[in-house]
Amino acid sequence: MSRVAPALVLMAVGIANLSGQPPPAAVFTADQAAAGRTAYQANCASCHLPDLAGRNEAPPLAGVNFLNTWRNRTARDLFEYMQSTMPPQAASLPSDQYLSIVAFILQSNGASAGAQPFTGSVAVRIGTLSPGSGGVAPTSAAARGAGAAGQRGGRGDQGAIARGRGGPIAASGPVGVTVEGEVKNYAPVTDALLRNPPPGDWLMARRNYQGWSSSPLTQITRDDVKNLQLAWVWAMNEGGANEPMPLVHNGIIYLINTGNVLQALDGRTGDLIWENHVGPNAQVGIAAMRNIAIYENKVLVATNDARLVAVDARNGRTVWDTPIADRAKGYANTAGPIVIHGIVVQGLVGCDRYGNDGCWISGVDVQTGKLVWKFNTIARSGQPGGETWGKLPDNLRIGGETWIAGSYDPDLDLTYWGVAQAKPWMRASRGTTAFDAALYTSSTVALHPKDGTLAWHYQHAPGESLDLDEVFERVLVDIGDEKVVFTIGKPGILWKLDRTNGKFLGYKETVFQNVFDSINPKTGVPTYRADIIEQQTGQWVPACPSTEGGHNWQAMSYHPGTGVLIIPLSQSCMEMSGRTVEFTDGSGGTAGDRRFFEMPGSDGRVGKLAAFDVKTLKEVWSHEQRASFLTSVVTTASGIGFVGDLNRVFRAFDVKTGETLWQARLGTSAQGSPVTFSIGGKQYVAVTAGMGGGSPRLVPRTVTPDIHHPQTGNALYVFTLPDTESSRSSQD
């Protein structure tokens, strides 16, 4: 039997509704609210934003949408819920800070201060504390001024605070080159190198244009992998979601840290060569930084405030700095670009507020930083696909983020990207019907990289309605004469498409799912359960998998030697309830409450690593465990794979069987995308440890609370064989 766990994300239903008591004139003091404002900025603002407007999985804490959820619940309920669950991924705060933060939230929703401090026992409905007959208050001056007050930002940041609804950003601390140095004998990264990377290099997201996350190196074998030892470790910037994939070129590691800090390290020793605080020195939203790109003499960085920056790979100096979206409208980035024939192709996140400019994929000239093209992932009125949003006007069409770097086929000259879900998460909240597909959300889009025009699209989940989107990696494989693109999203369905035209070729359910009653074997079109189609706001809808995803951002690997895809998977379920959303500019968001529980039949084993044959889609082997896998998979030509998990374990396994061959414990959870590279004939394996993130971290905290790890420890670990063994062969 599944063990049901309480909800983790703020605003989850299930809190007692106490009413009927006459409210006092005021339930907190002005000094208490002022202290709460400082505590909020230090511990809450990095996710819920300084103006309490909310972002992505962190809901708003002020205004109409907050009161729609909390109007009939009490101040005591809010205090108790925050004290038991917030901040996620961090140690609990002192009780007086929770009390003061509640006071600040109440004040931000129009409640007046008085002479008595809030004690946590006040069971008065929040709606009765706000002015107006409906209890709906505009965001107060306290909230409006929060971003400009200059308090410190979220945990581990460097003091930056965003002003207004998501921007602009004001950063304190250094910006620009903070450590000067020079990469000796630097060789430019050409188009030819990107198309055919040297065996010892790792030059892009998932290593090659096809997105294989696999290396041709063979020095570390099944026989000697047990002798891997730590070569060096590099402590990284704390705060945010540490999920990077380092790049390696000619023995130099280029590493992106949270807070937009870029570094060049000597791959042999771990010595720092140069460092650039690209800025802002702030954690924005979940503040993930997943990948960077390199081309010619430039490292390309997408910052978390929606800029694209080129940095000189030789010395770290900024070459150009281009906004790709208006930060003041909530836009951001969590993943970086790929470079195709001098065009930097970059996605976008933060497209979840009504009244924004939509969402898009950008093409930018690598030499000048000038915008070359944009592809809109949200079809507007009068555009192809515009009718698929039903009666929604353009200002209410939101979502469609692209927060995983795409892939590229040099022969077809097409780049493939996944597009995330429409927002708010549930149809009932966003005002669409079961017949509104909402293009191009939850789709694969194939674009011409020269001008960004659409070659074809395939929508995996028309009108997706439970935050089970299909935004993740696209892996390109040739099977005989068949040119295939594989992808897998949160429903845990492995999709197989013809990458020349988007034709559906097949699918495989990799974990238990009950969202779709059926999937058409000829077209791939899924049919939702009746209760999902008939959903209403405020009603709980059960779903497997949960928003942790059967698969999430942790990339799979294609191992060409065995013809299998090795995929990190998760097994958890949820109930989701959509909130009522105000259809006004600046509103929107995700608007979904969730509570999580174990997946039936999993026996508490949340983590699953499995291999699937690319020809038949049959499962070849699987390994299940209690701890979630929180890294991508990387494989090598010698038949070794590497993956890491929540329980601090980084392991090597046999790609043919899944058997664990070696493992090491890191300082905290293994999180990010491992890479392998060689210098002077010696092979290394690198992996990051880190904290932070969305559902892949929130769900395990609820479902596997017995797994403990330190709350700090962002770092890069590099392993290698002893010199006596690694000297036996050379890969250079």
Side-chain angles (χ1 to χ4, degrees), residues 20 100 103 133 240 283 321 362 381 406 500 527 576 638 660 685-686 690:
S100 65
S133 58
Q283 313 298 346
D321 188 330
S362 301
S381 301
T500 67
T527 300
M576 180 178 284
S638 56
T660 296
V685 180

PDB file of all heavy atoms in Angstrom, residues 20 100 103 133 240 283 321 362 381 406 500 527 576 638 660 685-686 690:
ATOM      1  N   GLY A  20     -16.111  32.416  12.193  1.00  0.00           N
ATOM      2  CA  GLY A  20     -17.172  32.712  13.125  1.00  0.00           C
ATOM      3  C   GLY A  20     -16.746  33.505  14.341  1.00  0.00           C
ATOM      4  O   GLY A  20     -17.583  33.889  15.148  1.00  0.00           O
ATOM      5  N   SER A 100       6.637  36.875  12.175  1.00  0.00           N
ATOM      6  CA  SER A 100       6.793  38.193  11.556  1.00  0.00           C
ATOM      7  C   SER A 100       6.525  38.137  10.053  1.00  0.00           C
ATOM      8  O   SER A 100       5.982  39.089   9.483  1.00  0.00           O
ATOM      9  CB  SER A 100       8.191  38.749  11.844  1.00  0.00           C
ATOM     10  OG  SER A 100       9.190  37.957  11.242  1.00  0.00           O
ATOM     11  N   ALA A 103       2.908  38.320   9.566  1.00  0.00           N
ATOM     12  CA  ALA A 103       2.470  39.711   9.756  1.00  0.00           C
ATOM     13  C   ALA A 103       2.736  40.533   8.500  1.00  0.00           C
ATOM     14  O   ALA A 103       1.887  41.335   8.070  1.00  0.00           O
ATOM     15  CB  ALA A 103       3.195  40.324  10.959  1.00  0.00           C
ATOM     16  N   SER A 133     -15.450  44.867   0.800  1.00  0.00           N
ATOM     17  CA  SER A 133     -16.494  43.894   1.083  1.00  0.00           C
ATOM     18  C   SER A 133     -16.090  42.484   0.714  1.00  0.00           C
ATOM     19  O   SER A 133     -16.513  41.516   1.339  1.00  0.00           O
ATOM     20  CB  SER A 133     -17.778  44.265   0.321  1.00  0.00           C
ATOM     21  OG  SER A 133     -17.518  44.316  -1.080  1.00  0.00           O
ATOM     22  N   GLY A 240      20.340  28.985  -4.846  1.00  0.00           N
ATOM     23  CA  GLY A 240      19.763  28.624  -6.130  1.00  0.00           C
ATOM     24  C   GLY A 240      19.729  27.125  -6.334  1.00  0.00           C
ATOM     25  O   GLY A 240      19.843  26.324  -5.408  1.00  0.00           O
ATOM     26  N   GLN A 283      19.716  35.237  -6.940  1.00  0.00           N
ATOM     27  CA  GLN A 283      19.012  34.004  -7.245  1.00  0.00           C
ATOM     28  C   GLN A 283      17.592  34.405  -7.653  1.00  0.00           C
ATOM     29  O   GLN A 283      16.823  34.895  -6.842  1.00  0.00           O
ATOM     30  CB  GLN A 283      18.984  33.082  -6.026  1.00  0.00           C
ATOM     31  CG  GLN A 283      20.319  32.909  -5.324  1.00  0.00           C
ATOM     32  CD  GLN A 283      21.384  32.286  -6.191  1.00  0.00           C
ATOM     33  OE1 GLN A 283      21.101  31.724  -7.252  1.00  0.00           O
ATOM     34  NE2 GLN A 283      22.623  32.384  -5.767  1.00  0.00           N
ATOM     35  N   ASP A 321      26.571  41.807 -24.471  1.00  0.00           N
ATOM     36  CA  ASP A 321      25.545  41.522 -23.471  1.00  0.00           C
ATOM     37  C   ASP A 321      24.200  41.941 -24.062  1.00  0.00           C
ATOM     38  O   ASP A 321      23.958  43.131 -24.285  1.00  0.00           O
ATOM     39  CB  ASP A 321      25.860  42.302 -22.192  1.00  0.00           C
ATOM     40  CG  ASP A 321      24.961  41.944 -21.020  1.00  0.00           C
ATOM     41  OD1 ASP A 321      23.799  41.565 -21.249  1.00  0.00           O
ATOM     42  OD2 ASP A 321      25.429  42.055 -19.868  1.00  0.00           O
ATOM     43  N   SER A 362      14.931  32.184 -29.426  1.00  0.00           N
ATOM     44  CA  SER A 362      15.648  33.259 -30.111  1.00  0.00           C
ATOM     45  C   SER A 362      16.842  32.718 -30.889  1.00  0.00           C
ATOM     46  O   SER A 362      17.484  31.748 -30.480  1.00  0.00           O
ATOM     47  CB  SER A 362      16.163  34.293 -29.100  1.00  0.00           C
ATOM     48  OG  SER A 362      15.122  34.853 -28.351  1.00  0.00           O
ATOM     49  N   SER A 381      -3.377  35.199 -31.995  1.00  0.00           N
ATOM     50  CA  SER A 381      -4.531  35.324 -32.898  1.00  0.00           C
ATOM     51  C   SER A 381      -4.051  35.698 -34.295  1.00  0.00           C
ATOM     52  O   SER A 381      -3.189  36.573 -34.463  1.00  0.00           O
ATOM     53  CB  SER A 381      -5.494  36.393 -32.385  1.00  0.00           C
ATOM     54  OG  SER A 381      -5.954  36.075 -31.084  1.00  0.00           O
ATOM     55  N   GLY A 406      18.071  22.648 -26.966  1.00  0.00           N
ATOM     56  CA  GLY A 406      17.657  21.771 -28.033  1.00  0.00           C
ATOM     57  C   GLY A 406      18.792  20.953 -28.623  1.00  0.00           C
ATOM     58  O   GLY A 406      19.942  20.987 -28.161  1.00  0.00           O
ATOM     59  N   THR A 500      12.469  13.790 -39.787  1.00  0.00           N
ATOM     60  CA  THR A 500      12.385  14.504 -41.057  1.00  0.00           C
ATOM     61  C   THR A 500      11.062  15.229 -41.212  1.00  0.00           C
ATOM     62  O   THR A 500      10.987  16.280 -41.851  1.00  0.00           O
ATOM     63  CB  THR A 500      12.575  13.552 -42.254  1.00  0.00           C
ATOM     64  OG1 THR A 500      11.465  12.633 -42.328  1.00  0.00           O
ATOM     65  CG2 THR A 500      13.872  12.772 -42.132  1.00  0.00           C
ATOM     66  N   THR A 527      -5.770  10.157 -24.969  1.00  0.00           N
ATOM     67  CA  THR A 527      -7.106  10.492 -24.488  1.00  0.00           C
ATOM     68  C   THR A 527      -7.074  10.577 -22.968  1.00  0.00           C
ATOM     69  O   THR A 527      -6.729   9.607 -22.287  1.00  0.00           O
ATOM     70  CB  THR A 527      -8.134   9.431 -24.910  1.00  0.00           C
ATOM     71  OG1 THR A 527      -8.172   9.342 -26.334  1.00  0.00           O
ATOM     72  CG2 THR A 527      -9.530   9.794 -24.391  1.00  0.00           C
ATOM     73  N   MET A 576      -3.883  17.182  -7.731  1.00  0.00           N
ATOM     74  CA  MET A 576      -3.758  18.600  -8.071  1.00  0.00           C
ATOM     75  C   MET A 576      -5.130  19.252  -8.061  1.00  0.00           C
ATOM     76  O   MET A 576      -6.117  18.655  -8.507  1.00  0.00           O
ATOM     77  CB  MET A 576      -3.097  18.787  -9.442  1.00  0.00           C
ATOM     78  CG  MET A 576      -2.937  20.261  -9.846  1.00  0.00           C
ATOM     79  SD  MET A 576      -2.111  20.505 -11.438  1.00  0.00           S
ATOM     80  CE  MET A 576      -0.407  20.191 -10.970  1.00  0.00           C
ATOM     81  N   SER A 638      33.366   2.441 -23.553  1.00  0.00           N
ATOM     82  CA  SER A 638      33.806   1.231 -22.866  1.00  0.00           C
ATOM     83  C   SER A 638      32.679   0.532 -22.118  1.00  0.00           C
ATOM     84  O   SER A 638      32.921  -0.460 -21.414  1.00  0.00           O
ATOM     85  CB  SER A 638      34.943   1.563 -21.894  1.00  0.00           C
ATOM     86  OG  SER A 638      34.544   2.561 -20.971  1.00  0.00           O
ATOM     87  N   THR A 660      25.727  -2.039 -10.623  1.00  0.00           N
ATOM     88  CA  THR A 660      26.610  -1.024 -10.050  1.00  0.00           C
ATOM     89  C   THR A 660      28.022  -1.581  -9.946  1.00  0.00           C
ATOM     90  O   THR A 660      28.243  -2.657  -9.378  1.00  0.00           O
ATOM     91  CB  THR A 660      26.113  -0.593  -8.664  1.00  0.00           C
ATOM     92  OG1 THR A 660      24.834   0.036  -8.796  1.00  0.00           O
ATOM     93  CG2 THR A 660      27.077   0.408  -8.027  1.00  0.00           C
ATOM     94  N   VAL A 685      36.278  11.980 -14.828  1.00  0.00           N
ATOM     95  CA  VAL A 685      34.808  12.053 -14.753  1.00  0.00           C
ATOM     96  C   VAL A 685      34.463  13.141 -13.745  1.00  0.00           C
ATOM     97  O   VAL A 685      34.985  13.138 -12.616  1.00  0.00           O
ATOM     98  CB  VAL A 685      34.193  10.717 -14.316  1.00  0.00           C
ATOM     99  CG1 VAL A 685      32.671  10.831 -14.246  1.00  0.00           C
ATOM    100  CG2 VAL A 685      34.596   9.597 -15.263  1.00  0.00           C
ATOM    101  N   ALA A 686      33.597  14.064 -14.141  1.00  0.00           N
ATOM    102  CA  ALA A 686      33.230  15.182 -13.268  1.00  0.00           C
ATOM    103  C   ALA A 686      31.729  15.174 -13.014  1.00  0.00           C
ATOM    104  O   ALA A 686      30.937  14.875 -13.912  1.00  0.00           O
ATOM    105  CB  ALA A 686      33.642  16.509 -13.905  1.00  0.00           C
ATOM    106  N   GLY A 690      24.694  19.468  -5.385  1.00  0.00           N
ATOM    107  CA  GLY A 690      23.990  20.731  -5.207  1.00  0.00           C
ATOM    108  C   GLY A 690      22.638  20.596  -4.563  1.00  0.00           C
ATOM    109  O   GLY A 690      22.116  19.498  -4.353  1.00  0.00           O
TER     110      GLY A 690
END
